[in-house]
Amino acid sequence: MSEKNVNIMDEYNRRRFSLTGRVFHATLLGSMILGLIVLIIGLGLYSYALVGQYISQSYSISCCAASICEKIVDIDSFSDSVMQRYKSMSDSELSAVGSDSYRSNFSDFKNNPTYASVHAILGDFLTAGDVDAVYLATFDEERNRIIYLVDPDVPGEALLTGDWESFRPNTLKKFLNWNGKEKLYDISKTDIYGWLCMSAAPVKRSDGTNSAFVITDVSLRNFRNGISTFLIQYVVAMVILVNAFCFLLTKHMKKRIVVPINSITQAAQDYILDKCAGVTCNNHFSSLEIKTGDELENLSVIMAEMEKNLADYEASLTAVTAEKERIGTELSLATRIQGDMLPSTFPAFPDRHEFDIYASMNPAREVGGDFYDFFFIDDDHLCFTIADVSGKGVPAALFMMASKIILANTAIMDKSPAEILEYANDIITPNNKEDMFVTVWIGILEISTGKLKAANAGHEYPAVKKADGKFELLDDPHGFVIGGLEGMKYKEYEIVLDKGSKIFVYTDGVPEATNAEGKMFGTERMLQCLNEFSDKSSDDIIENLISSVNDFVNGAEQFDDMTMLCLEYKGSEKINSGKDVLEIEADTKLIHKVYEYIEKKMDGLQCSSKCLMDISVAVEEIFVNIANYSYVPEKGMATVNAELNKERNLLSISFSDSGKPFNPLEKADPDITLSAEERNIGGLGIFMTKQMMDEVMYEYKDGLNILTMRKKLY
């Protein structure tokens, strides 16, 4: 078969490699092989019969001639006389066989009446029979020679009495030891006469011994000519018959096989084209009229049934696909609803800078059973929790949503963590017909003191990092899972978070994340990743941990939901009541706290809008400079002290920090007469501050940068 696709073949190759062409070629090849086999067998049988005919003919002549000679003439005395004279000759004389001198020794035997009688008898058989030679001879067994006695062949070709020739020893023994039962013959190739069929019949003595042999020779050149004629006639006949047979068989096969197959092929092509064009037609195969009564008819029936079944399947698949799309839409909606129920906006409380909290949930399926939550119970107490529902998918998601609502509603009832778990367990367990459960870790942080009260209902150990330490697992007391048994009691514990402390809670999907080799991520690897990024923010810690888990599993299927929550306690903002100053972290996000502090100092005072604007711009410039430059790359604290002299209507605001010594007033004022493109970058903010405030002073004292601004209010 050509490597080309049949669709791109030219007409010649398409016919050449078509099924019709293949049938013709296969038939032709088979017929030729069969003809060759028949030729070989026929040739063998013909040869065997022809050679057998030659043997029978020559043997019959030899037997008849020998029988007549025995009855009519005295062969014994004639043969003995010739042999006596032959044996009386020396080897040198014998070697001159065929010469006149040699033949002169036997010339007198031509006048012997026996010679004449035998010559006449054998001559008649030679003339009447279709043979090449009939002669009387005897053998010299010692020298393996045949000695001719009488040869009636034409003059010049006949061998005279006493002439001898070498004779094959095997044939000689065969003739001399003949048992009288089988035909006596030999077929061999001679140097002088070529291939000969030599048949012999002995002339018996009165004592039963052989005195001589009548030998008939038949040349096989006629046999070869007969074979050649036979071959020519056979090949011509075979070519004619094979071509006729191939033509008729190909025509028959085309009608019975090729045409039905092409009909089925065309129906299949029409089916594909109609499907691509969106044409609805389901009788491409059923309309075929194939009545061959064999496998091809069965194939057309099966194809028609297949077409009908495919049409039914497509209709069913369309309905199933529509239903699947509907379910997928609903699952997508459920995923969004579930996601909306979890706090997902970060930073979660932009106006609260005492802590930083971040959480993430990656469900194993469209919806998951893990959840986290955090919310304020009051202005000074933050409740945060993480939980893992048994099972996966929609059932776990429904149980998760119910559990989350119950825990949140219970928490705002001013209960302790242990009481929240006990109350939630007593509500969930009686209605838990499906025997599901949820593990829960819940904590309530008192923001002003850093005290964290927590309780654990069968959940993973939390990881806690002190301000100057590293993440370590906290072996907290575990209670029974929520939803397992009613009336369960839970132990509560308390830890104190110093400024810079962090707590990380998670579900078992994190340490049990498994790669393709079946190895789990593990708690040790989780702690290692946490400590590698322990100085980062909460969101960076979680995102880096997620990335590490993903690199570990390397695309392996996620079998469990993976949920994490990290909280960093930054310390409480406080106003020193004794000094009436604001101590605050130097962070631009906290600028509003500085505004609130200044506004309280000015509460009840009458001040123009321009004055308030000047104070706000100046305060922002100084505080932002401290936040951005004093402690880089670290973070530090700043102290703001605002004092109001009502008698003089003078507001004095002092900023102090322990960062790098820097006097912003030493920087030369920018040339504001130049365009923005011509002026050097920087210095404009402190210049505006000096312009807006009445007085600006700087000093470095006791390791502190102290910048003081004064402004007349009216």
Side-chain angles (χ1 to χ4, degrees):
M1 177 66 182
S2 173
E3 294 182 357
K4 292 183 178 180
N5 188 291
V6 70
N7 293 324
I8 61 174
M9 287 182 182
D10 55 29
E11 187 64 25
Y12 169 76
N13 282 321
R14 189 170 297 162
R15 290 183 178 179
R16 177 185 174 191
F17 295 109
S18 67
L19 189 56
T20 302
R22 287 178 177 276
V23 169
F24 181 82
H25 296 154
T27 305
L28 180 61
L29 180 61
S31 300
M32 292 179 65
I33 293 174
L34 179 62
L36 182 60
I37 294 173
V38 172
L39 174 62
I40 294 172
I41 296 174
L43 192 60
L45 294 175
Y46 175 78
S47 301
Y48 179 80
L50 190 59
V51 171
Q53 181 181 351
Y54 287 160
I55 293 171
S56 296
Q57 180 183 2
S58 60
Y59 181 69
S60 296
I61 291 174
S62 296
C63 289
C64 291
S67 177
I68 293 173
C69 289
E70 285 181 358
K71 294 177 180 179
I72 296 177
V73 294
D74 183 11
I75 300 295
D76 297 346
S77 58
F78 181 78
S79 174
D80 290 341
S81 298
V82 174
M83 287 302 298
Q84 184 177 2
R85 188 170 297 180
Y86 167 81
K87 291 180 179 180
S88 66
M89 297 175 67
S90 65
D91 289 338
S92 60
E93 291 175 330
L94 290 173
S95 64
V97 61
S99 64
D100 292 339
S101 61
Y102 176 84
R103 289 180 173 177
S104 65
N105 294 316
F106 299 92
S107 59
D108 58 322
F109 286 104
K110 284 187 178 182
N111 300 320
N112 190 309
T114 300
Y115 177 86
S117 298
V118 173
H119 190 280
I121 293 170
L122 296 181
D124 292 339
F125 278 100
L126 178 61
T127 303
D130 186 16
V131 294
D132 292 286
V134 180
Y135 52 90
L136 181 68
T138 187
F139 296 101
D140 180 2
E141 187 175 3
E142 293 180 0
R143 294 185 178 92
N144 294 320
R145 294 174 180 175
I146 181 172
I147 294 89
Y148 293 94
L149 301 178
V150 180
D151 183 8
D153 207 348
V154 296
E157 295 183 10
L159 293 169
L160 303 181
T161 302
D163 285 352
W164 62 266
E165 290 179 341
S166 296
F167 205 75
R168 291 189 305 119
N170 292 337
T171 306
L172 179 62
K173 290 180 180 179
K174 180 179 180 181
F175 281 14
L176 294 177
N177 298 324
W178 181 54
N179 57 14
K181 296 180 181 180
E182 302 169 350
K183 295 176 182 179
L184 183 58
Y185 71 92
D186 181 69
I187 297 176
S188 60
K189 185 177 182 181
T190 64
D191 295 335
I192 299 174
Y193 308 108
W195 283 97
L196 285 177
C197 175
M198 180 185 295
S199 298
V203 178
K204 298 289 185 179
R205 299 176 187 272
S206 59
D207 61 0
T209 60
N210 300 327
S211 62
F213 289 86
V214 176
I215 300 174
T216 303
D217 290 343
V218 179
S219 176
L220 295 184
R221 60 179 177 273
N222 295 329
F223 168 76
R224 183 181 61 187
N225 295 334
I227 291 295
S228 299
T229 303
F230 172 78
L231 283 174
I232 294 172
Q233 293 173 347
Y234 182 88
V235 168
V236 172
M238 186 180 72
V239 169
I240 295 172
L241 291 175
V242 164
N243 278 277
F245 176 72
C246 291
F247 174 76
L248 295 175
L249 182 60
T250 301
K251 185 175 181 181
H252 175 73
M253 294 293 286
K254 182 176 181 180
K255 178 180 178 182
R256 299 285 297 181
I257 297 177
V258 177
V259 172
I261 289 178
N262 287 338
S263 298
I264 295 173
T265 302
Q266 186 61 47
Q269 289 178 342
D270 293 342
Y271 175 81
I272 294 172
L273 292 175
D274 286 348
K275 286 297 179 185
C276 293
V279 177
T280 302
C281 180
N282 300 322
N283 63 344
H284 294 88
F285 297 99
S286 59
S287 61
L288 297 177
E289 294 294 334
I290 298 177
K291 302 297 181 182
T292 58
D294 53 18
E295 287 84 351
L296 288 174
E297 182 177 351
N298 187 38
L299 176 61
S300 67
V301 172
I302 292 174
M303 294 295 288
E305 293 177 355
M306 181 193 71
E307 183 178 19
K308 181 179 179 300
N309 292 336
L310 281 175
D312 296 340
Y313 175 76
E314 287 176 357
S316 176
L317 182 62
T318 300
V320 171
T321 303
E323 180 65 16
K324 186 176 180 180
E325 289 177 352
R326 184 187 65 80
I327 294 173
T329 301
E330 292 181 356
L331 278 176
S332 178
L333 179 60
T335 302
R336 292 198 299 271
I337 292 174
Q338 185 182 40
D340 292 341
M341 290 195 66
L342 302 180
S344 57
T345 302
F346 299 98
F349 308 104
D351 57 336
R352 302 299 296 264
H353 301 277
E354 303 95 326
F355 62 89
D356 177 32
I357 190 168
Y358 187 81
S360 171
M361 185 188 81
N362 295 308
R365 299 183 183 177
E366 288 83 357
V367 289
D370 289 3
F371 69 90
Y372 64 85
D373 199 5
F374 49 82
F375 49 88
F376 276 105
I377 297 175
D378 56 40
D379 192 58
D380 195 35
H381 292 85
L382 175 71
C383 177
F384 59 104
T385 183
I386 191 167
D388 185 359
V389 175
S390 61
K392 302 289 181 293
V394 174
L398 294 174
F399 198 81
M400 160 258 174
M401 295 173 73
S403 302
K404 177 183 178 301
I405 293 171
I406 293 172
L407 287 169
N409 290 342
T410 305
I412 62 176
M413 296 168 62
D414 199 21
K415 293 181 178 293
S416 67
E419 291 173 338
I420 294 172
L421 295 181
E422 292 169 4
Y423 186 79
N425 182 63
D426 290 340
I427 293 177
I428 293 173
T429 303
N431 299 312
N432 186 14
K433 304 299 182 182
E434 300 301 325
D435 294 328
M436 300 183 73
F437 63 86
V438 56
T439 64
V440 181
W441 183 95
I442 187 169
I444 298 177
L445 174 66
E446 188 174 61
I447 299 172
S448 60
T449 63
K451 293 180 180 179
L452 174 65
K453 294 181 179 180
N456 193 326
H459 200 74
E460 305 294 316
Y461 293 117
V464 179
K465 173 190 175 299
K466 296 293 186 180
D468 55 350
K470 62 180 182 179
F471 278 102
E472 295 178 349
L473 291 182
L474 177 64
D475 188 6
D476 60 350
H478 275 48
F480 198 61
V481 297
I482 301 297
L485 294 172
E486 291 186 70
M488 294 302 300
K489 299 297 181 183
Y490 297 91
K491 293 183 179 180
E492 188 175 294
Y493 61 93
E494 180 180 302
I495 59 176
V496 178
L497 300 180
D498 299 326
K499 181 180 178 180
S501 296
K502 296 176 182 177
I503 182 168
F504 176 79
V505 288
Y506 54 95
T507 59
D508 58 4
V510 178
E512 293 178 6
T514 307
N515 62 15
E517 287 76 30
K519 295 182 180 180
M520 292 194 296
F521 189 70
T523 305
E524 292 299 325
R525 192 177 279 105
M526 181 190 74
L527 289 175
Q528 181 180 352
C529 291
L530 289 175
N531 287 318
E532 285 179 4
F533 305 101
S534 61
D535 58 337
K536 302 293 184 180
S537 62
S538 297
D539 56 335
D540 287 339
I541 290 174
I542 289 181
E543 293 301 331
N544 282 299
L545 181 55
I546 292 174
S547 178
S548 298
V549 172
N550 290 336
D551 291 342
F552 175 80
V553 301
N554 194 24
E557 184 179 358
Q558 181 181 345
F559 292 102
D560 201 358
D561 304 333
M562 191 166 61
T563 306
M564 294 168 270
L565 183 148
C566 183
L567 180 140
E568 177 185 4
Y569 182 66
K570 295 186 175 182
S572 176
E573 301 170 2
K574 56 185 179 178
I575 296 179
N576 189 320
S577 58
K579 296 182 180 180
D580 197 18
V581 298
L582 173 65
E583 295 179 356
I584 190 171
E585 183 178 5
D587 189 337
T588 56
K589 297 179 181 179
L590 303 180
I591 185 64
H592 65 284
K593 293 293 183 181
V594 180
Y595 291 152
E596 292 174 0
Y597 169 71
I598 300 293
E599 289 174 359
K600 288 182 180 179
K601 285 289 187 175
M602 298 173 61
D603 188 29
L605 296 178
Q606 297 295 326
C607 185
S608 66
S609 298
K610 181 180 182 307
C611 180
L612 290 175
M613 179 62 72
D614 291 344
I615 294 172
S616 297
V617 172
V619 167
E620 180 181 6
E621 174 64 26
I622 300 304
F623 186 75
V624 168
N625 279 342
I626 295 173
N628 290 339
Y629 304 111
S630 293
Y631 296 100
V632 175
E634 305 296 331
K635 294 288 185 180
M637 298 295 292
T639 301
V640 184
N641 182 16
E643 296 179 355
L644 180 62
N645 188 332
K646 293 184 179 181
E647 295 180 357
R648 298 176 56 192
N649 296 319
L650 182 66
L651 177 64
S652 177
I653 305 173
S654 176
F655 293 87
S656 60
D657 66 85
S658 58
K660 295 178 289 186
F662 177 69
N663 181 6
L665 302 180
E666 292 179 348
K667 190 173 182 63
D669 293 339
D671 187 355
I672 60 175
T673 62
L674 299 175
S675 64
E677 290 78 7
E678 296 174 328
R679 289 198 303 268
N680 293 327
I681 298 174
L684 184 60
I686 194 65
F687 173 73
M688 292 176 61
T689 299
K690 291 190 290 184
Q691 296 298 317
M692 293 177 177
M693 303 302 285
D694 297 328
E695 186 177 5
V696 180
M697 298 171 293
Y698 169 84
E699 65 175 329
Y700 186 79
K701 182 178 181 181
D702 299 330
L704 297 175
N705 292 300
I706 304 173
L707 190 141
T708 304
M709 305 183 298
R710 295 189 176 94
K711 177 71 172 179
K712 284 278 188 178
L713 299 181
Y714 52 84

